[in-house]
Amino acid sequence: MVDPRRTRTAGLADEHLFIRPGTDAYLLIALVHTLFAEDLVSLTAHLRERLNGLDDLRAVAVDFTPERVAAVTGIPAATIRRTARELAAADRAAVYGRIGTCTQAYGTLNSWLVDALNVLTGNLDREGGAMFPRPAHTPVYRRKRPFTTGRWRSRVRGLPEVNGELPVATLADEIETPGEGRIRALVTIGGNPALSAPGSARLDAALAGLDFMVSVDPYLNETTRHATVVLPPPRPAQTPHYDVALLGFAVRDYVRYSPPVAPLPDGRPSEAAILARLALIASGADGASAGDGTAALDEMIISGTLGKAAAMDGSPVHGREPAELRAMLDGGTSTEQRIDMMLRLGPYGDGFGADPGGLTLARLRAEHPHGLDLGPLKPRLDEILCTPSGRIELCPPPFAADADRLRSALNAPRDAPSRSC
């Protein structure tokens, strides 16, 4: 366990390395260096035939010896070398980092180097190593577009888009800086960026200058106090739940749907209805015509998804009529019908009758009200790999370039890193 604090998880570890906050990238790249320097890289054939950039990564890591980073991290060089050797010698191993390695000055480098260590030790996409879940709601027949970034850039600082989003670190710039495209209205959903975002004090002051702000949030906090309108969602017991996001990070494949325990009071909109109405108003509809909005948006998504699935080779419903498929969907609400559609088209689904024993929402609710264990994770790299080359890019140029920032700060480590959680 590598953590600057003695957490409950650290208490369970065989060994706890107390790293200096914010210096994780130095430790990780020194581990990479050691694997190369001591000829400990062990690629499985499964990875070797899909890999680009091995020599490029070796060159990036060459200056980051354990001896050079020991004073920065607070971890002795001998311990770093021993850790690299033990990691390489293990029959099965997985390097895992999450929030603590992300919320700091070198968060992107940390995430990259964690993956690189799993590749270099042959532990990516194999049992006992770092694997990828297969969510029940995600079709595997859908062709992934090559992953790209920077399709557009932020107005003020020119920061690149990633996954359709811009960094929250530049939100204050976009609010404060005059000119066309300046942010004058904002919707926040269940977050507190005035406290948790980078440069939060500046963002807190910027939020006060907005013309209009809506917060969908059950709490009054540092962010929602700036809102023109606060729209509290219903209580969790009044809300259905399906683990859309969590299933992509699970350590075992499973599926679960939880219907609401208690009904909504008369006239009380669901959280889905709140968000749907905001979306319709933002698209130009007036408040009255927007109405609840949930069913209209769900229907648009259902129709579009079924149409694409019916037209796509490899789909379990290829060539079938979308109207026929729409009539088969089950659920008391349009939201439940969307979930039923996703499960039926997913890797464990019934394919709208193509696999009579497959998964549907009705079967999940009736036969598995507490959830269904779908088994241990299985190798599936080829299903998810979506680089333009179709191969693992071990040393992407943007990451290699950012390593220069890490290198230049090596002699002034206390000024470069930020806090690690």
Side-chain angles (χ1 to χ4, degrees):
M1 180 69 183
V2 180
D3 200 297
R5 298 175 61 244
R6 186 163 181 81
T7 62
R8 291 177 63 185
T9 305
L12 299 172
D14 296 302
E15 183 176 10
H16 180 191
L17 303 182
F18 285 92
I19 193 169
R20 180 170 288 123
T23 64
D24 304 79
Y26 291 103
L27 171 64
L28 292 166
I29 202 166
L31 293 172
V32 169
H33 169 95
T34 304
L35 293 177
F36 280 117
E38 299 190 8
D39 198 24
L40 298 175
V41 173
S42 179
L43 297 174
T44 62
H46 175 63
L47 296 176
R48 187 182 299 109
E49 63 189 22
R50 294 168 172 81
L51 191 65
N52 289 340
L54 187 65
D55 290 338
D56 294 332
L57 180 58
R58 184 197 305 269
V60 167
V62 70
D63 296 332
F64 295 92
T65 66
E67 288 73 21
R68 287 198 71 188
V69 307
V72 182
T73 62
I75 299 175
T79 301
I80 297 174
R81 291 189 179 278
R82 173 177 57 81
T83 301
R85 293 165 185 162
E86 291 175 349
L87 177 63
D91 290 336
R92 293 288 189 271
V95 181
Y96 177 79
R98 202 167 173 185
I99 295 298
T101 52
C102 295
T103 54
Q104 52 177 282
Y106 302 111
T108 299
L109 290 180
N110 289 333
S111 297
W112 165 50
L113 292 168
V114 163
D115 289 339
L117 285 169
N118 286 319
V119 171
L120 295 176
T121 55
N123 285 304
L124 184 72
D125 196 45
R126 73 164 176 169
E127 293 180 2
M131 304 186 75
F132 304 94
R134 182 183 275 117
H137 61 274
T138 303
V140 296
Y141 62 82
R142 188 179 299 160
R143 300 185 188 90
K144 287 184 174 290
R145 296 178 180 177
F147 180 82
T148 58
T149 63
R151 290 173 293 177
W152 63 86
R153 292 183 174 268
S154 64
R155 178 178 63 100
V156 178
R157 292 169 57 187
L159 298 179
E161 157 274 340
V162 178
N163 282 334
E165 301 177 351
L166 293 171
V168 71
T170 197
L171 180 56
D173 304 317
E174 299 294 330
I175 295 173
E176 294 175 343
T177 306
E180 184 178 355
R182 180 184 183 186
I183 291 178
R184 304 305 306 143
L186 185 68
V187 178
T188 66
I189 305 171
N192 194 8
L195 184 66
S196 61
S200 56
R202 181 185 169 203
L203 179 58
D204 186 31
L207 293 178
L210 290 169
D211 294 339
F212 184 74
M213 177 173 163
V214 176
S215 290
V216 181
D217 203 302
Y219 300 109
L220 293 176
N221 56 34
E222 291 82 359
T223 298
T224 62
R225 69 188 179 93
H226 295 295
T228 313
V229 179
V230 178
L231 302 174
R235 297 176 182 275
Q238 298 171 324
T239 303
H241 183 73
Y242 177 84
D243 297 323
V244 173
L246 185 61
L247 291 176
F249 299 95
V251 297
R252 190 175 177 91
D253 287 325
Y254 76 94
V255 62
R256 177 176 58 207
Y257 175 72
S258 302
V261 176
L264 286 172
D266 290 341
R268 182 74 163 88
S270 66
E271 185 168 10
I274 292 171
L275 297 176
R277 188 168 184 180
L278 287 174
L280 287 172
I281 293 172
S283 71
D286 61 44
S289 63
D292 178 305
T294 313
L297 285 182
D298 282 337
E299 189 58 44
M300 179 179 69
I301 293 169
I302 289 171
S303 298
T305 301
L306 291 177
K308 291 177 181 178
M312 189 171 294
D313 289 337
S315 162
V317 296
H318 178 244
R320 294 174 64 178
E321 286 296 326
E324 172 212 354
L325 304 175
R326 176 67 182 88
M328 295 175 65
L329 292 179
D330 184 50
T333 66
S334 58
T335 299
E336 288 188 339
Q337 291 167 4
R338 278 183 61 190
I339 296 173
D340 187 41
M341 174 189 67
M342 292 189 293
L343 293 177
R344 286 172 178 258
L345 292 174
Y348 313 95
D350 80 330
F352 287 83
D355 178 7
L359 195 60
T360 67
L361 180 60
R363 183 169 293 124
L364 182 62
R365 294 185 64 171
E367 301 175 14
H368 308 283
H370 304 295
L372 175 62
D373 181 5
L374 297 168
L377 305 186
K378 301 174 182 61
R380 59 182 302 252
L381 183 61
D382 290 337
E383 287 181 4
I384 65 168
L385 193 58
C386 58
T387 57
S389 66
R391 296 167 61 83
I392 299 171
E393 297 294 345
L394 190 60
C395 192
F399 297 171
D402 198 33
D404 291 339
R405 181 169 61 101
L406 192 67
R407 187 178 294 103
S408 66
L410 190 56
N411 295 322
R414 296 183 183 275
D415 296 329
S418 61
R419 182 175 63 86
S420 174
C421 298

